[in-house]
């Protein structure tokens, strides 16, 4: 067989099975709930060998009110609106990589204190939008997550920036 290269059958078969099985292979990922809690995050997530890790940079919200002053909180909305907008942007970025929010295993949320809340972060607003995407019947996979208050973000109108790590099934 001069000029031809032998490809072992196991490799193409594994690739074909992975493409056919799709999200079912993600079942090897173990998400550990917080003991005795119904809070919608995982205490830990275990990813077995053989899964590619995808790190997304921090995403911020989209303008929701183009009539408001540029780069103001009014232009981007409150924490709930900004979280929803940011998760939509993350979902689109994941989709471009053939992933979804189901594949997110780690999330870090940066919150600026909301001037309308005395400079305190609006954790309740974050959770309202977060619960629409995570821990639902349609999307039960819960990532590990940290939420921290920071003094400022790149855009002075942003109250929210989120970065995620996803695992390719």
């Amino acid at each position: 067989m001069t000029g031809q290269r032998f490809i072992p059958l196991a490799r193409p078969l594994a690739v074909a099975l992975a493409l056919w099985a799709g999200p079912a292979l993600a079942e090897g990922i173990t998400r550990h709930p917080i003991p005795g809690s119904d809070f919608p995050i995982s205490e830990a997530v275990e990813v077995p060998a053989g899964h590619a890790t995808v790190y997304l940079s921090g995403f911020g919200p989209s303008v929701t009110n183009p009539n408001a002053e540029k780069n103001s909180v009014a232009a981007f909305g409150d924490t709930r609106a900004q979280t929803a907008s940011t998760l939509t942007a993350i979902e689109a970025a994941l989709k471009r990589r053939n992933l979804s929010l189901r594949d997110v295993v780690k999330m870090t949320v940066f919150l600026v204190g909301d001037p309308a809340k005395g400079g305190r972060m609006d954790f309740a607003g974050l959770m309202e939008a977060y619960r629409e995407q995570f821990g639902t019947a349609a999307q039960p996979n819960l990532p590990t997550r940290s939420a921290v208050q920071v003094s400022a973000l790149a855009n002075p109108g942003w109250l929210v920036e989120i970065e995620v790590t996803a695992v390719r099934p």
Side-chain angles (χ1 to χ4, degrees), residues 61-88:
S62 300
V63 171
T64 57
N65 181 358
N67 298 322
E69 182 182 335
K70 184 178 179 177
N71 297 328
S72 68
V73 172
F76 295 96
D78 63 9
T79 299
R80 191 217 162 283
Q82 288 196 25
T83 301
S85 170
T86 302
L87 290 174
T88 297

Side-chain angles (χ1 to χ4, degrees), residues 78-101:
D78 63 9
T79 299
R80 191 217 162 283
Q82 288 196 25
T83 301
S85 170
T86 302
L87 290 174
T88 297
I90 289 169
E91 187 173 33
L94 289 167
K95 187 174 182 179
R96 288 190 294 274
R97 289 155 183 84
N98 296 316
L99 295 165
S100 73
L101 292 175

Side-chain angles (χ1 to χ4, degrees), residues 31 52-59 85-107 133-134 139 141 143 162-169:
R31 296 168 191 265
T53 305
V54 180
Y55 302 92
L56 289 187
S57 292
F59 279 74
S85 170
T86 302
L87 290 174
T88 297
I90 289 169
E91 187 173 33
L94 289 167
K95 187 174 182 179
R96 288 190 294 274
R97 289 155 183 84
N98 296 316
L99 295 165
S100 73
L101 292 175
R102 296 176 69 87
D103 302 309
V104 172
V105 295
K106 172 71 175 121
M107 177 183 291
Q133 299 294 333
F134 292 92
Q139 202 298 84
N141 294 350
I162 300 174
E163 64 182 29
V164 300
T165 302
V167 172
R168 187 171 304 285

